[in-house]
Amino acid sequence: MELLAVVCLCLLTWSGTTFAAGNGPDVIKMVVKEGDDAILPCSLSTRENIVQKLFDWKRDGQKEVFLYDAGVTYGKDHPGQDEQFKQRVFHFPDQLPFGDASIVIRNTKVTDSGNYTCDFPRLQPRRRGLIELVVDPVLKDRTEENIPGAAPAPVTKILKVTEDGVVLQCEVRGASPKPDVKWQDSDGNVLRAEEPQVSERGGLYYVSLLTTVTKTSTNLFHCVSTQKDIGHRTEEEIYVPERLLEDKSCHEAPMFIGGVFTGIVIVAAVLSVLAAIYITIRRNKGEFK
Ligand SMILES: *[C@@H]1O[C@H](CO)[C@@H](O)[C@H](O)[C@H]1NC(C)=O
């Protein structure tokens, strides 16, 4: 009984911290190259299921970018989306169960630049995310470098927020010889990454490398591209806002609590079996007396 009380108390504490977090109105700044896709991150720190919820993305407080209402999005049956965003904005249906309301704007234009808000108007307390997006036409010129074949600086971006952490993408576009691309934390430790995606066009290599990061002391991550043969090294740093990385410990909590409950159930089961055996033995003894 005491154990149960302790577990309940812990549960309360956990949900307390989980709900308190994530109200910070800090702005996430993002810069993308014109023509690239922009993923605007927005997640509830509680990671509660939002499949049946409503969330609303607006730009500069007025333009309707995207709306999700329990399965329904803008379209034939739900007019109101701004012309500019029609057929270009999508959400991530498989991430909804984890409180992830992020959207992707495909093929960005300079005119997409602005301040985006992600709003859950019906949730108590009401929660909002703010993202400043800058679509830069000049970033295009990065692929042209002075040394022939030398890799341009990698392009890093936040791809999405998942259960396990924030997925970062690093792209090196147009390099020869083939560059070696790595993700590192701010102490220079090489981070575990997925298998790099490499393609070749016109003798130039295009490399894309994904890694999933969790909170560190700086929340700064580096993508480093090296071409040993020509002694060329470039790198790009990316800062992941605290808000996207927080609550990883709380996210572990349900599993842990699950573990505790499973433990209790097992202990209870073992105890009842022992009790049953004990009683049976007693009874048998009684019979044989
Ligand atoms: C976002 O809002 C701030 C403050 O109002 C403004 O200075 C900034 O220019 C806006 N950003 C964009 C990309 O429009």
Side-chain angles (χ1 to χ4, degrees):
M1 211 55 218
E2 253 170 26
L3 192 60
L4 257 178
V6 171
V7 171
C8 292
L9 213 83
C10 292
L11 258 170
L12 283 175
T13 323
W14 266 314
S15 56
T17 43
T18 316
F19 275 96
N23 293 330
D26 49 342
V27 184
I28 297 169
K29 289 201 174 177
M30 292 181 68
V31 181
V32 300
K33 186 175 79 105
E34 186 174 25
D36 271 2
D37 297 346
I39 292 177
L40 307 188
C42 175
S43 269
L44 287 181
S45 54
T46 53
R47 316 220 162 245
E48 65 195 83
N49 189 330
I50 53 170
V51 171
Q52 295 302 326
K53 301 278 194 293
L54 170 93
F55 61 86
D56 188 14
W57 280 89
K58 285 199 171 74
R59 199 194 78 193
D60 302 325
Q62 32 163 352
K63 279 208 170 182
E64 292 290 347
V65 178
F66 187 82
L67 182 106
Y68 174 94
D69 187 359
V72 180
T73 57
Y74 279 135
K76 273 205 307 286
D77 306 327
H78 209 105
Q81 187 177 30
D82 198 279
E83 278 299 323
Q84 180 184 349
F85 296 108
K86 280 198 174 142
Q87 311 293 330
R88 288 178 53 227
V89 184
F90 305 92
H91 69 303
F92 298 91
D94 57 332
Q95 296 301 317
L96 296 174
F98 314 112
D100 186 346
S102 304
I103 51 167
V104 55
I105 303 179
R106 299 242 181 263
N107 189 18
T108 49
K109 304 179 172 91
V110 173
T111 47
D112 292 334
S113 300
N115 289 301
Y116 288 77
T117 47
C118 155
D119 198 7
F120 292 85
R122 287 191 202 141
L123 286 193
Q124 285 304 329
R126 189 165 169 173
R127 269 154 291 175
R128 275 182 102 125
L130 183 56
I131 290 151
E132 182 174 358
L133 176 69
V134 177
V135 180
D136 190 341
V138 184
L139 279 178
K140 249 182 189 159
D141 301 331
R142 276 209 200 183
T143 38
E144 290 137 33
E145 276 248 347
N146 331 359
I147 318 165
V155 177
T156 53
K157 67 179 172 201
I158 298 173
L159 211 55
K160 61 178 172 181
V161 183
T162 71
E163 265 191 300
D164 303 320
V166 175
V167 180
L168 303 180
Q169 184 188 45
C170 174
E171 280 187 296
V172 179
R173 300 179 180 131
S176 180
K178 193 165 104 180
D180 181 34
V181 184
K182 285 194 168 65
W183 274 107
Q184 296 182 350
D185 64 16
S186 50
D187 296 328
N189 302 311
V190 175
L191 301 175
R192 247 202 340 200
E194 286 178 20
E195 204 45 42
Q197 301 289 310
V198 184
S199 59
E200 197 210 319
R201 256 174 286 149
L204 294 178
Y205 290 91
Y206 295 77
V207 183
S208 165
L209 185 66
L210 301 184
T211 188
T212 304
V213 298
T214 49
K215 202 163 141 66
T216 68
S217 55
T218 57
N219 293 341
L220 284 171
F221 303 93
H222 297 255
C223 179
V224 185
S225 158
T226 41
Q227 293 165 288
K228 279 203 194 76
D229 325 30
I230 57 170
H232 185 70
R233 181 183 192 277
T234 54
E235 68 172 275
E236 182 74 10
E237 186 183 75
I238 187 166
Y239 170 71
V240 180
E242 184 88 21
R243 200 158 63 79
L244 297 184
L245 293 164
E246 70 197 3
D247 280 331
K248 289 300 163 236
S249 54
C250 286
H251 151 234
E252 306 292 349
M255 273 166 65
F256 178 60
I257 294 168
V260 170
F261 280 138
T262 314
I264 291 172
V265 169
I266 290 171
V267 167
V270 168
L271 282 180
S272 12
V273 170
L274 285 179
I277 292 173
Y278 180 69
I279 290 167
T280 317
I281 290 174
R282 285 287 295 254
R283 259 203 213 133
N284 288 349
K285 268 188 186 161
E287 267 176 27
F288 286 123
K289 227 183 234 175

